[in-house]
Amino acid sequence: MAMPNLFIRPNSMTRTVASTLLYAALAASLMACSAPAQNQQNTAPTSVEQRAEPVVTRAQIAQGIYELVYSDKLDLLFVASAGSFTDSTVPYQILIVSPADLKVVGTIPLNRKAFSLALDDQANRLYVGNTGQAAITIIDTQSRQVLQNLQLAPMLKGKDGKERPEYHFRQLLLDTAAHRLYMPAFDNEQGKLFVIDTQANKVEKIIPGFGFTATGIALDPKHQRLYVSNMQGEAVVLDTQTNEIVKRFSLGAEQPLNLAYDEINHRLLAVDQGHPKMRGFQERGIPGYQSRHPGNRVVAIDLNTEKMVAEMPASGPVNLKLDPARQRLLVTNRESGEITVFDSNNYRKLHSISTPAHPNTLAIAKKNGDVYATVKNGEDAAQGMFESVARIQF
């Protein structure tokens, strides 16, 4: 998974990359789910690790879970489930999970696979990225009803007779003040940005020019800047008032899968995944490309100078989240099966938390700092085994 996330491709070479980008958290892979096991209906949480600090509990809740968001307003978790890619009877749904005990307290049925999520808590709107169908599902979180399916781009039929989206989408990012929803996409590996008007619920603009395979996305609302990374190792900067690209600069990271904006320090943080199969994909797709760093790190860029000021070790990093109130930076590490916690000011490692097999995406409860993570199964998991949500209490 992860974006994050996950890509869907029409030919054999790019299907290999789709499998690689399973490491991304924020959107959609066609490769990660399987048929349901018959003995996976118990969703009671079980403790997998207890330390004086932090304490981790987890619960198996469904097949094919991807992103999750926490509603401070409702004190609930919303978890995207894409069902199974081998068993059509497994439902696509949003799981509503109690953050206190990780029990599933409700579901919202969908007619399209759910991968990425964005929550407008004040407006009671949950946006669900149906990346494999080039669509977004809009849900009222109070009534728990689907309000609209918004088709972003057409589905095209290939020579094999299967339908695939004209564009391949990743994660969602909301600018609630501007009433816009942003979604990176690409076709023929060239990055674009879809801008959705959340008042009219329609595509406002499709902006080209985001380079080879657009990946992560982060917002600086104070300075009206949106940052989109690509697999050329660039950050492409958008003026959110004009929806025009104003600059681009090197991140110093070769595989910047996901981004986060640190408002306190005015820095851009990026995971540098360092996956060898992705490196091969870059060599084939970028003329003259040569890898100069093995990745497996998180980098911090000072946006005043656009220079790297720090790097933190990681192991197949996927997702990252900032908790500015508690000065924490959290990173999921797919390869080591851990979530690492850094001091967000000096980047000193505070904790390394075991959450095997593959921690994917993160959400944080503002009120108490509890952290929630989706955890993907390992490759040796039984077919149909439910995947997990973990709770970390500091």
Side-chain angles (χ1 to χ4, degrees), residues 121-330:
D121 219 3
Q122 294 309 306
N124 305 314
R125 291 293 180 268
L126 178 67
Y127 298 90
V128 183
N130 314 119
T131 61
Q133 289 79 39
I136 292 172
T137 300
I138 304 170
I139 293 171
D140 185 312
T141 55
Q142 292 281 3
S143 68
R144 302 182 182 181
Q145 298 296 312
V146 172
L147 300 177
Q148 184 176 344
N149 289 308
L150 176 61
Q151 192 69 34
L152 303 179
M155 299 292 290
L156 307 177
K157 186 169 290 188
K159 293 181 180 179
D160 60 1
K162 295 181 180 180
E163 284 194 335
R164 297 179 177 88
E166 181 181 10
Y167 298 96
H168 309 288
F169 290 90
R170 291 210 68 241
Q171 65 193 107
L172 296 163
L173 186 144
L174 266 171
D175 183 347
T176 54
H179 304 291
R180 283 176 176 148
L181 181 67
Y182 295 97
M183 198 172 193
F186 57 91
D187 63 337
N188 298 320
E189 322 313 337
Q190 294 307 303
K192 294 177 172 59
L193 184 69
F194 277 64
V195 183
I196 295 104
D197 181 331
T198 57
Q199 292 181 309
N201 288 338
K202 66 178 184 180
V203 175
E204 178 181 334
K205 192 174 184 180
I206 303 172
I207 307 169
F210 285 85
F212 180 75
T213 309
T215 53
I217 186 168
L219 177 67
D220 172 3
K222 180 180 178 180
H223 299 99
Q224 294 89 42
R225 291 293 183 265
L226 186 80
Y227 298 90
V228 178
S229 58
N230 61 37
M231 282 297 168
Q232 293 171 252
E234 294 178 314
V236 183
V237 187
L238 187 85
D239 183 322
T240 57
Q241 290 186 308
T242 63
N243 276 332
E244 300 292 337
I245 293 173
V246 292
K247 67 163 66 174
R248 57 210 313 135
F249 60 89
S250 174
L251 286 166
E254 294 186 5
Q255 296 180 15
L257 196 64
N258 284 307
L259 304 176
Y261 174 65
D262 178 354
E263 182 179 9
I264 292 173
N265 297 299
H266 193 46
R267 291 175 177 174
L268 190 65
L269 304 169
V271 301
D272 188 5
Q273 192 176 42
H275 196 280
K277 289 185 178 178
M278 172 52 71
R279 195 169 294 119
F281 171 62
Q282 291 167 298
E283 290 170 353
R284 289 188 294 269
I286 304 172
Y289 176 84
Q290 288 186 323
S291 175
R292 293 178 172 82
H293 196 282
N296 290 301
R297 59 179 176 162
V298 178
V299 300
I301 309 299
D302 183 335
L303 290 171
N304 294 308
T305 63
E306 297 173 358
K307 301 296 184 183
M308 185 190 302
V309 293
E311 57 182 334
M312 293 147 272
S315 178
V318 176
N319 195 220
L320 71 173
K321 288 283 184 185
L322 278 162
D323 183 352
R326 297 163 187 87
Q327 300 180 2
R328 294 180 190 138
L329 168 65
L330 298 107

Side-chain angles (χ1 to χ4, degrees), residues 309-366:
V309 293
E311 57 182 334
M312 293 147 272
S315 178
V318 176
N319 195 220
L320 71 173
K321 288 283 184 185
L322 278 162
D323 183 352
R326 297 163 187 87
Q327 300 180 2
R328 294 180 190 138
L329 168 65
L330 298 107
V331 181
T332 58
N333 297 268
R334 179 180 169 87
E335 290 302 309
S336 64
E338 296 174 315
I339 296 172
T340 47
V341 186
F342 298 93
D343 184 306
S344 60
N345 290 319
N346 59 26
Y347 307 121
R348 179 173 60 90
K349 184 185 285 189
L350 303 175
H351 302 283
S352 184
I353 303 163
S354 179
T355 54
H358 304 305
N360 197 39
T361 62
L362 296 163
I364 299 171
K366 291 180 181 178

